[in-house]
Amino acid sequence: MAKKRPQTKGARPQITDGEVPVVGAREPCPCGSGRRYKACHGRAAAHAVTELVQRPFEGLPGECDWVALRELVPAATVGLTLRDGLPEDVPSVTLATVLPMAWPALRRDDGSVLLGLQNDTASGDISRDLADTLLRALTAEPGTPVQGRRAPADGPRMQDLLDPEGAFEPVVHSGFEFWVPDAENATPDVTASLERANAAAIPTAKLTGVDAAYWCETPDKNHLRWVMPYPEEHLLDALARLHAAGRSGLGEGTRLVGSFRAHGLTVPVWDLPSGTGADDIEKPAAEFAERLVAALASDAPLTAEERRARGGLTNRQVTLS
């Protein structure tokens, strides 16, 4: 076997980091190092794309509702306001929990855009993947879906595209009729697809008196799942204080049973009696919000009973993302 010619430093081209072009991950790096691109100048770009962003919706209007629509709510839509306004041929942009066939986005025949939120993403930053999908949907041919892909590492995020002062007001639906402009006159295939999707959707309603709290109905019991913006450790301390004092419930027969951890935020969960509807829980939830604010303001060390309560809540915490 012939010997490989040793590479000398003097033979390598002098290329600065900013001039190194992007090539295939397994190809030799254009800088002349002799290493593959992914192990040389491509390393930073790959890391930027795959690094997990713990709070991908931080800084967006309605961060807690973004988390709820991503993880908890079956069918909901929200009109989005773009920072630079809508293109002339795009009448509206709407965020939806899920779209037909799990499409990442859809450009409708009238030019409007539906952006799906409950989709697998290719990188560790959901916000960047959503922004990439949205930008491609804005220029897609009307009447076509937009497929997912890995977003460029230096691409914009939703925080760059959306108006920071724009309202974020989710509308919860009982089914997925928002998929089609005229569900009553849909084809038999579309009607059958809607019926299957609607049958799997858990009845859900958003409370009006507090932020990001969602009631849902299941066969055995109902639940309230409430996405909260407070730092996790501080919130768990406050919940433990209320739990130990017997003040963590939302009325007779209700019980704080634990919490979810999702996209950097904590989501306390209450069991409710099966006959308790969303309207029934509005006033108790507002009263609990006042108790929680008072508990959050305390900086006293937890008592032994409060520490036990906190341990119980922590043991019943489930991470969704």
Side-chain angles (χ1 to χ4, degrees):
M1 179 180 292
K3 293 184 178 179
K4 294 181 180 179
R5 178 180 296 179
Q7 294 185 348
T8 62
K9 292 184 177 180
R12 294 176 186 169
Q14 299 300 310
I15 301 178
T16 64
D17 287 355
E19 297 171 342
V20 175
V22 176
V23 298
R26 299 177 66 84
E27 295 179 36
C29 186
C31 76
S33 66
R35 292 181 292 175
R36 291 176 177 176
Y37 179 72
K38 69 177 184 179
C40 191
H41 280 86
R43 180 182 299 171
H47 178 72
V49 172
T50 59
E51 184 179 13
L52 179 63
V53 176
Q54 296 293 336
R55 287 180 62 178
F57 308 119
E58 184 177 14
L60 288 171
E63 178 189 6
C64 293
D65 285 309
W66 279 88
V67 172
L69 267 57
R70 168 76 181 184
E71 299 294 341
L72 307 174
V73 181
T77 55
V78 188
L80 299 181
T81 303
L82 303 190
R83 185 186 294 267
D84 297 326
L86 292 170
E88 186 175 350
D89 59 344
V90 179
S92 64
V93 173
T94 302
L95 180 74
T97 48
V98 67
L99 296 179
M101 308 297 293
W103 288 327
L106 171 65
R107 182 92 186 271
R108 281 179 160 166
D109 291 334
D110 66 355
S112 61
V113 168
L114 288 177
L115 178 66
L117 181 57
Q118 295 180 12
N119 292 299
D120 293 334
T121 54
S123 79
D125 187 353
I126 298 171
S127 180
R128 196 178 306 280
D129 287 328
L130 285 171
D132 178 69
T133 301
L134 174 56
L135 288 176
R136 290 185 290 123
L138 293 174
T139 59
E141 287 294 323
T144 60
V146 177
Q147 302 301 327
R149 71 173 188 183
R150 181 184 291 274
D154 59 350
R157 307 178 73 234
M158 292 299 286
Q159 287 84 343
D160 302 315
L161 301 185
L162 298 186
D163 183 350
E165 303 299 326
F168 192 83
E169 300 174 350
V171 177
V172 178
H173 303 277
S174 59
F176 295 91
E177 283 73 18
F178 63 85
W179 282 354
V180 291
D182 187 4
E184 293 183 357
N185 296 316
T187 65
D189 287 345
V190 171
T191 299
S193 178
L194 281 173
E195 289 176 351
R196 288 192 297 270
N198 290 344
I202 297 174
T204 302
K206 185 179 188 299
L207 299 195
T208 60
V210 294
D211 293 334
Y214 290 82
W215 167 94
C216 68
E217 180 182 20
T218 61
D220 296 329
K221 62 184 68 174
N222 298 345
H223 307 279
L224 184 73
R225 300 177 292 189
W226 192 342
V227 187
M228 296 188 171
Y230 312 108
E232 180 180 8
E233 297 302 315
H234 193 193
L235 175 59
L236 288 174
D237 283 351
L239 292 174
R241 296 181 197 278
L242 294 175
H243 203 60
R247 305 182 69 207
S248 63
L250 300 174
E252 185 176 356
T254 69
R255 187 167 65 98
L256 175 64
V257 293
S259 63
F260 296 130
R261 182 188 291 114
H263 304 292
L265 298 181
T266 303
V267 189
V269 179
W270 285 262
D271 280 351
L272 312 173
S274 58
T276 303
D279 291 340
D280 300 325
I281 213 69
E282 287 278 7
K283 182 178 179 181
E287 293 171 346
F288 176 84
E290 295 179 357
R291 298 197 298 273
L292 180 62
V293 169
L296 287 166
S298 175
D299 58 0
L302 296 181
T303 65
E305 187 175 359
E306 290 168 347
R307 289 196 300 273
R308 285 193 295 271
R310 192 186 194 283
L313 291 173
T314 302
N315 290 338
R316 296 191 296 274
Q317 190 173 54
V318 176
T319 299
L320 298 180
S321 59

